[in-house]
Amino acid sequence: MTTLRFAPSPTGHLHVGNLRTAITNWLYARQSGGQFLLRLDDTDTERSRAEYADAIRRDLAWLGMAADDEVRQSDRTALYEAAFDRLLSAGRIYPAYETPEELDVRRKVLLSRGKPPIYDRAALSLTDEERAALEAEGRRPHWRFRLDDTPIEWSDLIRGPSHLDPAAVSDPVVRRADGTFLYMLPSVVDDIDMGVTHVVRGEDHVTNSGVQVQMFEALGTAPPTFAHQSLLVDQEGGKLSKRLGSLSARQLREQGIEPLALLAYLARLGTSQPVESVADSQALIDSFAFDAFGRAPARFGEDELAQLNAKIVHGLPYEAVSDRLPEAMTAEAWAIIRPNLERLADAADWWSMINSAPVVELSEDDAAYAEAAAESLAAIDGDELWGPLVADLKSRTGRKGRALFQPLRLALTGQQHGPEMAGILALIGKDEALRRLRAAAGQ
Ligand code: GLU
């Protein structure tokens, strides 16, 4: 079965970049009828927190992307130990004794000679006696995975044919001297154990993928299919500011961004498909295609997201939002107010405007006009109020355009702008509208 995983570290809140990775994984899992798994990369016990893991689950649920299953790396050390032992006996892992300072000096020397700072594998040529001497000094080894020199190639679903020259990278450290594992090997062990078929993540992992291809092979498994998304940049093409880059689902939720808007935005950003309003996430699932992703960085913009959000709010059906609206607000009211909203939460303001009489002061002229409006309205029979009202006022007063409408809006709602007056007047109702017009007229 097609199996994808989203593998955040619970060391902070998910930010827009992580969310985009999660969304891409989820869309493809749903499109292919496969599974979407959550893997919590919590091997860093100092920085990982249960509350962040909870927040990650909450964010995924809010987006409608709750994982089909979940694993935590901190529960799986035995699996990593077993893989480590296998690779050690196969000669693919070796102990190294250099201190960080020693490594740093060597790196600097190489760089100063214009050479790439690749680990020289000095530890591989240590004799047993030399190793014993280092151990006797109290040094404990860390452990490196020995890359072999077969060229590393894979076909990336986004980047196309990809390769890594193993000679261009250092043998990665897979385990620290204190016995803890670094990211690289556990991720491969988990991908094998969880039957992951597609690894979809950011371009910052391309080199890791090349190295991991060799780890999969060393563990006797064909590597999964990889897809690396280009990274997010700002609207000008520059690196995302700290604020934008760390924008979390929670912050966006508090700003009134709908989950569907965030999904629709991040699903299409950096692809050849339009960023557009969709009725539901199924439309995004159906149209998802790795082919559509470009190699160029994807330009993230808060304004663009807010605009898409407004469009999506305008299309939300009453049933989908009724539990987030003021209790007495009807489907009719939602239909009238909806086109005017940027955020769903603002519906409550318009609703209270409809339900409470405004305090307004009109010019003398407009006060007289409001009085005429009250007379006209009083004479109207039937359900349709606004059309007959303005038609009558037009012929009685000779007013047109703004002068005809604006004082009415102001007298009835206390606002200069807002939803269509025909709908607003219907919601306010004839009796209350009469009271408001008379009050505005100073009566
Ligand atoms: N925890 C890693 C990250 O967040 C996972 C990378 C991966 O294997 O997808 O970058």
Side-chain angles (χ1 to χ4, degrees):
M1 183 184 336
T2 309
T3 300
L4 289 99
R5 82 319 189 256
F6 172 50
S9 302
T11 52
H13 287 287
L14 296 181
H15 53 70
V16 282
N18 302 133
L19 291 165
R20 179 166 178 248
T21 304
I23 288 169
T24 313
N25 276 282
W26 180 79
L27 287 172
Y28 186 62
R30 292 291 90 104
Q31 186 187 60
S32 56
Q35 351 175 41
F36 172 66
L37 308 177
L38 174 63
R39 184 185 87 201
L40 293 167
D41 285 4
D42 60 350
T43 48
D44 182 342
T45 47
E46 299 255 294
R47 292 172 57 226
S48 298
R49 300 241 193 91
E51 72 217 57
Y52 290 130
D54 288 342
I56 288 169
R57 292 184 200 103
R58 233 185 354 260
D59 289 346
L60 293 180
W62 176 68
L63 285 163
M65 313 196 309
D68 301 321
D69 205 352
E70 176 186 315
V71 301
R72 285 189 310 193
Q73 288 197 320
S74 56
D75 292 339
R76 300 165 63 84
T77 317
L79 278 175
Y80 311 146
E81 302 262 6
F84 179 87
D85 291 345
R86 263 180 76 190
L87 294 174
L88 189 63
S89 352
R92 290 303 295 270
I93 284 181
Y94 61 93
Y97 293 84
E98 295 89 350
T99 62
E101 296 73 29
E102 285 164 354
L103 289 171
D104 199 41
V105 170
R106 283 194 212 169
R107 251 193 312 266
K108 284 187 178 139
V109 169
L110 287 169
L111 283 170
S112 71
R113 294 192 195 138
K115 295 205 174 125
I118 297 166
Y119 176 61
D120 59 9
R121 291 182 164 163
L124 264 183
S125 39
L126 291 174
T127 61
D128 288 348
E129 292 73 44
E130 284 167 330
R131 234 177 271 128
L134 286 162
E135 299 258 354
E137 258 178 43
R139 290 218 199 185
R140 290 287 162 268
H142 55 274
W143 305 85
R144 289 185 185 261
F145 176 79
R146 188 174 52 76
L147 292 164
D148 67 25
D149 14 296
T150 41
I152 302 169
E153 283 166 0
W154 73 94
S155 173
D156 194 294
L157 290 179
I158 294 174
R159 296 165 61 86
S162 303
H163 64 272
L164 177 72
D165 174 7
V169 276
S170 300
D171 288 341
V173 177
V174 292
R175 198 171 190 180
R176 300 183 186 90
D178 66 3
T180 57
F181 287 93
L182 282 98
Y183 155 77
M184 211 64 119
L185 180 63
S187 180
V188 170
V189 171
D190 288 334
D191 286 339
I192 294 172
D193 182 65
M194 293 159 72
V196 169
T197 56
H198 293 71
V199 169
V200 180
R201 55 191 178 190
E203 217 171 55
D204 49 334
H205 282 289
V206 168
T207 305
N208 288 346
S209 294
V211 168
Q212 288 177 330
V213 163
Q214 285 211 354
M215 291 184 176
F216 279 103
E217 284 165 354
L219 288 168
T221 306
T225 302
F226 289 102
H228 292 94
Q229 297 184 288
S230 66
L231 301 182
L232 295 183
V233 293
D234 67 18
Q235 288 287 292
E236 282 73 49
K239 199 170 159 332
L240 281 189
S241 67
K242 205 155 175 233
R243 190 189 66 79
L244 273 189
S246 65
L247 212 51
S248 65
R250 196 183 57 192
Q251 282 168 302
L252 292 165
R253 184 159 61 230
E254 281 164 6
Q255 284 173 23
I257 299 296
E258 295 298 310
L260 182 59
L262 191 57
L263 269 178
Y265 188 55
L266 293 178
R268 295 283 175 82
L269 207 61
T271 75
S272 55
Q273 297 173 337
V275 167
E276 64 189 1
S277 167
V278 291
D280 53 27
S281 56
Q282 192 60 43
L284 300 168
I285 294 170
D286 294 341
S287 59
F288 178 84
F290 281 113
D291 283 358
F293 283 85
R295 297 279 303 264
R299 296 183 176 214
F300 177 83
E302 263 181 313
D303 292 348
E304 208 183 356
L305 174 57
Q307 280 160 22
L308 178 63
N309 189 58
K311 282 193 202 140
I312 284 191
V313 169
H314 301 166
L316 290 173
Y318 179 69
E319 308 75 66
V321 296
S322 57
D323 56 340
R324 295 162 61 201
L325 296 176
E327 196 148 334
M329 196 169 151
T330 56
E332 184 201 4
W334 171 245
I336 290 164
I337 289 173
R338 178 174 83 160
N340 218 60
L341 298 176
E342 278 172 20
R343 310 176 315 162
L344 187 128
D346 298 339
D349 296 341
W350 294 113
W351 180 243
S352 78
M353 173 204 81
I354 285 159
N355 290 296
S356 45
V359 180
V360 284
E361 251 183 75
L362 300 180
S363 66
E364 224 172 280
D365 238 21
D366 283 347
Y369 178 61
E371 191 175 335
E375 282 163 22
S376 299
L377 182 61
I380 295 168
D381 280 327
D383 292 340
E384 232 240 281
L385 301 176
W386 181 251
L389 174 64
V390 291
D392 192 44
L393 281 171
K394 199 171 180 178
S395 66
R396 279 179 66 184
T397 65
R399 287 193 181 219
K400 300 190 289 241
R402 205 183 138 78
L404 182 67
F405 301 112
Q406 194 63 9
L408 297 176
R409 177 181 290 285
L410 199 57
L412 290 167
T413 70
Q415 303 294 320
Q416 303 281 0
H417 306 280
E420 287 234 52
M421 280 308 296
I424 291 290
L425 182 54
L427 290 176
I428 292 174
K430 184 172 163 182
D431 293 345
E432 172 63 14
L434 278 174
R435 273 193 288 279
R436 293 187 191 183
L437 288 170
R438 288 178 184 138
Q443 290 178 339

